[in-house]
Amino acid sequence: MTKLAVQLYTLRDHLTTTADVASSLKRISEIGYRAVQVSAVKAFETEFDAATLRTMLDDNGLKCIATHRSWDRLAQNTSEELDLHHTLGCDYVAIGGIPQSYGADHADGYRRFLADSAPVIAALKAGGVRFGHHNHSHEFVRVTPESPQTLWDILIDEGGPDYYLEADLYWVWHAGVDPAALIRRCKGRVPVIHLKDKEVVPKDGPVIAAIGEGNLPWDTILPACEESGVDWYAVEQDTCRRDPFDCLRSSFEYLSAKL
C-alpha cells in the first residue's frame, strides 16, 4: 500500500480549479493512496504555485513522487525546474516521449536525443533530480524490418544508468512485449512505473481499464517489478468508462491485495 501512487493525469478533468484540486487530493487520500505524480494539473499552471501545491499535498498526507514536465522547460529553464521539484519535495521528473523534432520513430533521432539530453540530465542529477522517459507503444517500433532491435532497446542499451525508464506496462503489453521480461531487463532503472489494465469489451474491443479488470498478467508482472527495484506504482488511466475515482479505488484494492 505504501508504494501506490495516483498519476494525476487520470483526474485531469477534476483538477481545473484550486477547489477541484483540494477536493481531489482529499478523495485520493481517503481511498488510501499516499503519493501522486503531478501531471496535467491545470490549476497548477494557472492558479497557484509549487509551494501552495506542496501545502495541499502535505495537508492530505500525500507525497509527490514524480512529475511530468515538458522537455523544453527542463532544457531551457533547468534551474527553475530544480527549484520547483525541491519545493515539491520530488526527486524524479519524466517526459512523455522524445520531442517530435527528433522523430518519434527514427533510430538516429533517438540517438541524437540521447546525446543532446545528456548535459541536461547531468545538471538535473547534480541538483538531486532524476530524469525518466515515459513510453507509449511507438517506442517498440523495430529499428529496421530486418532487425529485432526496437527504439526502446536503444534507450536501454545506450541511454546509460542516469537515463531512467518510466515504464508504462499497458503500452508495453499493447506493443506485444512481455512486461515482466522488459521490467527485469531494466532492473535498477525503473523507480516509478505506470500501471493500467487492458479489457476487451463486447462491440468496443480493447479499452483501458482499472487494474485487475483486464487481461494483463499481474501475477507475473508484479513479482518482476519487485525484483527490479520499483519504488512506486503509479496508477493511471488515460480514459475511464466510469467515474475515475471509482476506478482508482478498484485499482488500489486490487494492488493492495497483491503487493
Side-chain angles (χ1 to χ4, degrees):
M1 292 171 60
T2 58
K3 290 188 171 187
L4 300 181
V6 171
Q7 214 305 38
L8 290 179
Y9 180 77
T10 306
L11 300 172
R12 58 195 179 278
D13 294 336
H14 299 264
L15 303 171
T16 59
T17 69
T18 302
D20 288 341
V21 175
S23 174
S24 295
L25 294 179
K26 183 175 185 293
R27 294 179 71 179
I28 288 169
S29 179
E30 288 173 347
I31 291 171
Y33 289 99
R34 290 294 172 261
V36 298
Q37 176 166 6
V38 173
S39 173
V41 182
K42 182 178 179 181
F44 182 33
E45 304 294 335
T46 60
E47 295 190 11
F48 57 80
D49 60 11
T52 301
L53 179 56
R54 174 65 182 273
T55 298
M56 297 168 76
L57 291 170
D58 289 347
D59 287 346
N60 288 284
L62 296 169
K63 175 179 175 61
C64 177
I65 48 89
T67 66
H68 268 181
R69 305 291 287 175
S70 76
W71 175 250
D72 286 345
R73 282 174 168 169
L74 294 172
Q76 299 170 17
N77 303 98
T78 310
S79 178
E80 290 86 346
E81 287 296 308
L82 283 170
D83 289 343
L84 179 147
H85 284 79
H86 295 159
T87 299
L88 291 176
C90 177
D91 68 354
Y92 190 72
V93 59
I95 57 172
I98 70 169
Q100 288 295 317
S101 59
Y102 286 88
D105 57 358
H106 298 289
D108 61 340
Y110 273 61
R111 292 191 169 100
R112 283 191 295 109
F113 181 72
L114 288 178
D116 291 350
S117 65
V120 178
I121 294 171
L124 290 170
K125 180 182 179 181
V129 175
R130 296 169 293 175
F131 172 86
H133 181 129
H134 174 278
N135 66 281
H136 294 86
S137 56
H138 63 260
E139 285 92 348
F140 297 93
V141 169
R142 289 189 175 199
V143 172
T144 67
E146 300 77 23
S147 170
Q149 186 186 40
T150 68
L151 298 170
W152 192 253
D153 291 327
I154 292 174
L155 300 182
I156 295 174
D157 297 335
E158 303 175 30
D162 293 333
Y163 200 100
Y164 289 91
L165 304 165
E166 189 182 59
D168 186 314
L169 300 188
Y170 172 94
W171 292 114
V172 172
W173 180 254
H174 184 75
V177 176
D178 176 11
L182 179 132
I183 212 77
R184 285 192 173 97
R185 188 175 166 206
C186 300
K187 183 176 183 178
R189 291 170 65 189
V190 283
V192 177
I193 63 169
H194 284 189
L195 304 183
K196 44 186 172 268
D197 218 331
K198 188 175 186 179
E199 179 184 9
V200 179
V201 176
K203 298 183 181 179
D204 292 337
V207 297
I208 294 173
I211 298 164
E213 297 179 10
N215 296 324
L216 267 74
W218 299 111
D219 286 342
T220 60
I221 291 172
L222 296 176
C225 292
E226 288 295 291
E227 294 168 18
S228 302
V230 171
D231 294 323
W232 291 98
Y233 298 84
V235 175
E236 177 186 46
Q237 277 188 246
D238 302 31
T239 57
C240 298
R241 299 178 73 243
R242 63 180 192 272
D243 180 75
F245 290 98
D246 186 53
C247 290
L248 289 173
R249 182 181 301 279
S250 294
S251 293
F252 180 85
E253 291 172 352
Y254 181 86
L255 289 169
S256 294
K258 291 286 186 179
L259 291 171

